[in-house]
Amino acid sequence: MPSHTVADLLRGLAAGDFSSEEITQQYLDAIADRDGQINSFITVTREQALEQARAADNARQRGNAGALCGLPIAHKDIFCTEGVRTSCASKMLDNFIAPYSATVVNNMASAGAVMLGKTNLDEFAMGSSNETSYYGTVRNPWNTDRVPGGSSGGSAAAIAAGLAPAATGTDTGGSIRQPAALCGLTGLKPTYGRVSRYGMIAFASSLDQAGPMARSAEDCALLLQSMAGFDERDSTSMDVRVDDYAGALDQDLRGLKIGLPKEYFSAGLDPAIGDAVHAALEEYRKMGAETVEISLPHTELAVPCYYVIAPAEASTNLSRFDGVRYGYRCENPADLDDLYTRSREEGFGEEVKRRILVGTYALSAGFYDAYYRKAQQIRRLIKQDFTDAFKQVDIIAGPTTPNPAFGIGEKVSDPVTMYLEDIYTIAVNLAGLPALSMPVGFAGELPAGMQLIGRDFDEGRLLAAAHQYQQRSDWHLRTAPDCA
Amino acid sequence: MSLEQGDIAKLARLARIRISEESSEELRQRISDILGMIDTMQAVNTDAVDPMANPHDATQRLRADVVTEVDQRDDFQRIAPATEDGLYLVPKVID
């Protein structure tokens, strides 16, 4: 069961090979047995999961099965879930029981999905290693001395450890794709505006986007189908038709033009990851695709640009945590100012405080033009790089990360080094484009990921391109040691 | 860009976060490092470039000006640290 794909499970449920209650119980047992080692869940919703599973089994018997009927999944603990603690991995929200559910959660529940629980993440999704969680570091199932990546590291580790077949993630600068790469999974960040942000705790509102994480591209297609769609409750949701993702997986790739940005294959790339990506590209050429070298000349500016825009938006978004209406409040505040400043001092972790202060700096009087406005201008140059590239090519491919999973504790004390781990993923968020990561081999014992970037709302083409590769490879079906 | 201790105190005040004296120096160094990395973007000439706030250059969608919210005060106040008679309680502001 643990290495089953979503597609396998949905077929088995439809055929009556097993019930949702049976498989839900098996995943809950696996979590109870093995998550002590991995720490991928913050909250396990055991009773509710079994109740939802029985309801799904009943619905199926009545001939009323939704697209994900009876499928157990996990939600990143950044999505509000009515009646269930939604912590965002912060002490600030340790006591926060969400009074409503996120649209993504409702959409997937309506399709019949069963929630196993809420997965760990970097605090407020700010991190690339899952070491900033108030609930402790998550371990990479491929090597438990290594990080799973972040910020959706709990979702990635849970799937890689066989504790859930799929999970939701969010991606502000690579937070779906980087952990997917580091844990040997397939993860998709959709186009900005494709999936509703309503009820998803905001980090950087012009960059955040929710997406699916699972073993295969086919699984991601099945999940995205239920997640995506226009939502009036998200003012940045885009009213664009949702394609039939699963129905379009069997595309012939002959003639597909794949751009290879020379900046993504330069110094700093781990040679084993480079080799794995080149081998995958060779498979694409065998399938009839054409690869062309391209340039994204402003690549190096993506990290500095992001570290103005994301903290600036975060400092604004996180101003709502004031100790007054919900969340953490310090003991015995002397006055209102003490209540604000000490609740925020005690409730936020170090990385979150750093980013709030950097954002505050970038937005403060006298510095706004030099930082925030400048970063927004550079954002346009970065978007223009992609627009120009997509005049020549259909998709863009490269490594997802420069390195395989790094050691726990290795980079956490040096923020700037940590930030540079996201060099290949961050520009995509600034440009709002869809991109996925999929496993294409190993660097030693650790998974290596390749990223495919598409035009706006071209998720279907990315999923099909990844699916065609996965029909000819089995990297996505490999399981971490002791997790088969 | 290297910050002074006074800058950290000012930022902490603006952001309403208390910064203890023990953590202030390390924070100053880390934030100076981050700003140093960010400053690489100053080398690029962007005089003729319009700022981009939304990746689709979209603007906020407006809805009809009618009441759509339902009263959920009780639900929301159930999770508040301190309330009384439907009001949120904070330390006394005016003597």
Side-chain angles (χ1 to χ4, degrees), chain A residues 172-349:
Chain A
T172 304
S175 282
I176 287 174
R177 292 160 286 154
Q178 185 252 20
L182 269 43
C183 290
L185 304 172
T186 308
L188 172 73
K189 182 206 92 79
T191 310
Y192 182 75
R194 172 77 295 174
V195 175
S196 171
R197 294 187 300 109
Y198 179 77
M200 190 175 112
I201 295 172
F203 161 15
S205 304
S206 79
L207 303 166
D208 296 342
Q209 184 62 198
M213 303 174 78
R215 291 200 179 276
S216 69
E218 182 184 16
D219 288 3
C220 287
L222 293 165
L223 296 161
L224 181 63
Q225 204 74 53
S226 295
M227 296 173 77
F230 175 68
D231 182 9
E232 283 203 343
R233 291 190 286 191
D234 170 2
S235 65
T236 58
S237 176
M238 299 289 279
D239 196 358
V240 176
R241 197 177 70 91
V242 178
D243 296 326
D244 176 5
Y245 301 117
L249 290 171
D250 287 321
Q251 280 178 29
D252 190 334
L253 300 189
R254 271 177 297 186
L256 181 78
K257 278 188 142 181
I258 305 177
L260 310 179
K262 63 180 185 200
E263 294 82 1
Y264 286 27
F265 292 90
S266 57
L269 174 62
D270 178 275
I273 293 181
D275 290 348
V277 169
H278 283 296
L281 292 168
E282 184 53 35
E283 286 301 316
Y284 276 100
R285 286 188 284 267
K286 285 185 196 160
M287 288 187 271
E290 184 190 338
T291 54
V292 198
E293 187 183 278
I294 58 164
S295 175
L296 298 169
H298 296 95
T299 295
E300 282 201 355
L301 292 167
V303 173
C305 172
Y306 176 89
Y307 277 96
V308 173
I309 289 176
E313 295 185 6
S315 74
T316 308
N317 277 324
L318 272 63
S319 66
R320 71 190 58 166
F321 301 106
D322 56 4
V324 174
R325 291 158 303 156
Y326 51 87
Y328 180 78
R329 172 183 281 203
C330 66
E331 295 283 340
N332 305 317
D335 54 32
L336 188 58
D337 194 57
D338 187 44
L339 186 154
Y340 293 147
T341 59
R342 208 148 47 78
S343 296
R344 288 164 65 80
E345 177 196 23
E346 295 167 12
F348 291 135

Side-chain angles (χ1 to χ4, degrees), chain A residues 192 232 234-235 237 304 307-308 324-325 329 339 341 344-345 361 370-371 374 376-378 380 383 413, chain B residues 1 15-16 18 30 38-42 44 46 49-52 55-57 60-61 80-81 89 91:
Chain A
Y192 182 75
E232 283 203 343
D234 170 2
S235 65
S237 176
Y307 277 96
V308 173
V324 174
R325 291 158 303 156
R329 172 183 281 203
L339 186 154
T341 59
R344 288 164 65 80
E345 177 196 23
Y361 183 81
Y371 286 94
K374 183 82 180 180
Q376 287 191 319
Q377 290 171 312
I378 289 181
R380 185 174 299 282
K383 173 97 186 181
S413 59
Chain B
M1 181 75 192
R16 296 291 186 277
R18 183 180 170 274
R30 293 290 172 225
I38 287 170
D39 273 336
T40 56
M41 66 178 191
Q42 303 300 347
V44 184
T46 52
V49 183
D50 284 334
M52 174 176 257
H56 306 305
D57 279 322
Q60 298 279 303
R61 199 178 55 248
L89 295 188

Side-chain angles (χ1 to χ4, degrees), chain A residues 54-72:
Chain A
R54 284 189 286 267
D57 287 332
N58 287 336
R60 187 177 291 283
Q61 271 188 343
R62 293 196 310 273
N64 200 11
L68 302 178
C69 185
L71 178 77

